[in-house]
Amino acid sequence: MIVRIVAGAPKAFTNFDEGYVIAVDKGVKHCLEQNIKIDLAIGDFDSYDESKVRVPMIKLNPVKDETDIFVAIQEAIKLSPEKIFIYGGTNGRFDHYLANINLLDLYDIELVDEMNRIFVKSESFSIDSKEYISFFRFKGNPVITLEGFKYPLTNYLLLDKDNLCVSNETVGKGYVNIEQGSVLVVISKKD
């Protein structure tokens, strides 16, 4: 099963073919506007009128230590999904955007917006994409090797605030090897 978390700031996304949908706070409004079936609504509903919610709901106290999306992720993990996608977690407030980035290694989670896919990897993987691909240090001291990329690397120590791995591209199928840490992967559409 796939879990799709719809947050309060998506600009555009299409209807989902599959998955369990958790709408977070104002994400309820976006789902209703786009006729997306909601399985669970979560939030303190400080930005959407909870009286309009007609699905199972977890009402949060607005005075809390975690974000609404963090609670939604915890509920999603209980379902043991294959993957969790978060839509609209990058288009609103920048503090919430950074908070969502910090949550990516809790599970196999991917942030999705109209321009980007953002996720964390700590193991080898292959990718075949015509988009820009960037890598940033996330945790530990990741050593990264890129094969099949326009700008290949071999056993490169990716340091904090290192921008060497921004806007790379695959030439065919790309192979990424990561050791001793994890990297933030950003796949961005070309204009």
Side-chain angles (χ1 to χ4, degrees), residues 84-121:
I84 299 170
F85 292 94
I86 300 173
Y87 300 86
T90 61
N91 301 81
R93 290 175 40 188
F94 190 69
D95 57 341
H96 281 267
Y97 184 170
L98 286 176
N100 293 337
I101 294 285
N102 289 338
L103 300 174
L104 290 179
D105 68 339
L106 292 177
Y107 204 81
D108 187 1
I109 300 173
E110 187 170 315
L111 282 167
V112 179
D113 63 31
E114 63 277 358
M115 286 295 296
N116 307 287
R117 293 176 37 222
I118 306 166
F119 51 92
V120 171
K121 283 289 190 183

Side-chain angles (χ1 to χ4, degrees), residues 2 5 22-23 35 41-42 51 53 66 69 77 84-85 98 109 120 130 142 151 155 165 170 172 174-175 182 185:
I2 303 290
I5 297 173
I22 300 174
N35 295 316
I42 293 177
S51 69
V53 178
E66 59 277 322
I69 288 184
I77 289 171
I84 299 170
F85 292 94
L98 286 176
I109 300 173
V120 171
K130 304 297 182 219
Y151 307 106
N155 296 326
C165 296
T170 60
Y175 297 94
S182 57
V185 182

Side-chain angles (χ1 to χ4, degrees), residues 151-190:
Y151 307 106
L153 285 174
T154 303
N155 296 326
Y156 180 76
L157 176 61
L158 189 56
L159 299 172
D160 197 26
K161 298 177 183 58
D162 189 337
N163 291 326
L164 179 70
C165 296
V166 173
S167 297
N168 208 333
E169 302 173 54
T170 60
V171 286
K173 189 170 223 170
Y175 297 94
V176 181
N177 186 52
I178 302 162
E179 297 176 4
Q180 303 175 27
S182 57
V183 297
L184 183 73
V185 182
V186 181
I187 301 174
S188 301
K189 291 181 181 175
K190 294 181 179 179

Side-chain angles (χ1 to χ4, degrees), residues 64-83:
K64 59 189 180 308
D65 292 331
E66 59 277 322
T67 64
D68 294 355
I69 288 184
F70 177 80
V71 175
I73 289 170
Q74 294 301 310
E75 290 300 314
I77 289 171
K78 291 178 185 176
L79 300 170
S80 300
E82 299 165 41
K83 189 169 185 91

Side-chain angles (χ1 to χ4, degrees), residues 8-26:
K11 288 187 178 176
F13 55 88
T14 58
N15 208 341
F16 308 128
D17 297 341
E18 60 176 325
Y20 185 92
V21 175
I22 300 174
V24 178
D25 211 302
K26 195 174 178 184

